[in-house]
Amino acid sequence: AMIDVARRERGDLEFSVGALADLPYPNDSFAGVMLWYSIIHTPSAQLEPIFAEVARVLHRGGFVLVGFQAGQGVRDLAATYRRLGHEIDLKRHLHSADQVASGLETAGLRELVRLIRRRLNAERDDQAFLLARGR
């Protein structure tokens, strides 16, 4: 549904849907890739194929920006949505900045900048942002 809205609102841009571990693009397609809260529903043990795929589609020297909730463990979000009448199974996986940096490094991406923003107000978790560059 979000892609439908994007296409309707920005018909001048191209949008496509694909799995993060199997992106529908050729090698060396992009100067930058943004994983903005895109890994939060992926267990830590399954991140390496995603980062390898990002490295594959990235130009040499290109940039990757990753944003995610930082920490350890899993948050079950289904109860919140069930109260709203939606029967779903929805979990959010927390990752440490070190775990994500290590996965990026394994994929051949070098961490340049790391920012950890401590949780604010009603947030349960810190937020982490890593900028990496392809070699």
Side-chain angles (χ1 to χ4, degrees):
M2 292 173 71
I3 293 297
D4 291 339
V5 171
R7 286 179 178 142
R8 185 175 59 249
E9 296 295 321
R10 291 302 309 260
D12 57 319
L13 300 175
E14 181 182 332
F15 297 93
S16 59
V17 177
L20 288 176
D22 185 24
L23 295 172
Y25 305 106
N27 296 353
D28 196 37
S29 293
F30 300 102
V33 174
M34 185 166 69
L35 296 172
W36 201 247
Y37 293 85
S38 301
I39 63 170
I40 64 173
H41 301 295
T42 304
S44 294
Q46 297 174 16
L47 289 177
E48 284 190 18
I50 292 171
F51 296 145
E53 190 66 355
V54 166
R56 181 188 68 77
V57 300
L58 194 65
H59 291 319
R60 182 176 178 85
F63 294 92
V64 178
L65 178 60
V66 186
F68 54 97
Q69 284 96 359
Q72 297 294 323
V74 178
R75 302 273 190 249
D76 187 348
L77 306 176
T80 300
Y81 289 92
R82 285 190 187 115
R83 283 193 299 271
L84 299 172
H86 303 284
E87 282 302 316
I88 62 168
D89 179 25
L90 182 60
K91 293 181 175 68
R92 181 167 46 85
H93 296 266
L94 302 175
H95 308 290
S96 75
D98 287 340
Q99 287 172 319
V100 171
S102 176
L104 293 168
E105 182 73 27
T106 298
L109 303 163
R110 182 173 47 89
E111 179 184 352
L112 299 175
V113 177
R114 178 186 301 200
L115 171 69
I116 308 294
R117 184 186 56 75
R118 299 297 174 210
R119 65 185 183 170
L120 297 174
N121 304 320
E123 291 178 337
R124 293 181 65 186
D125 305 300
D126 294 343
Q127 309 298 304
F129 312 97
L130 273 69
L131 178 66
R133 189 167 197 181
R135 298 171 196 242

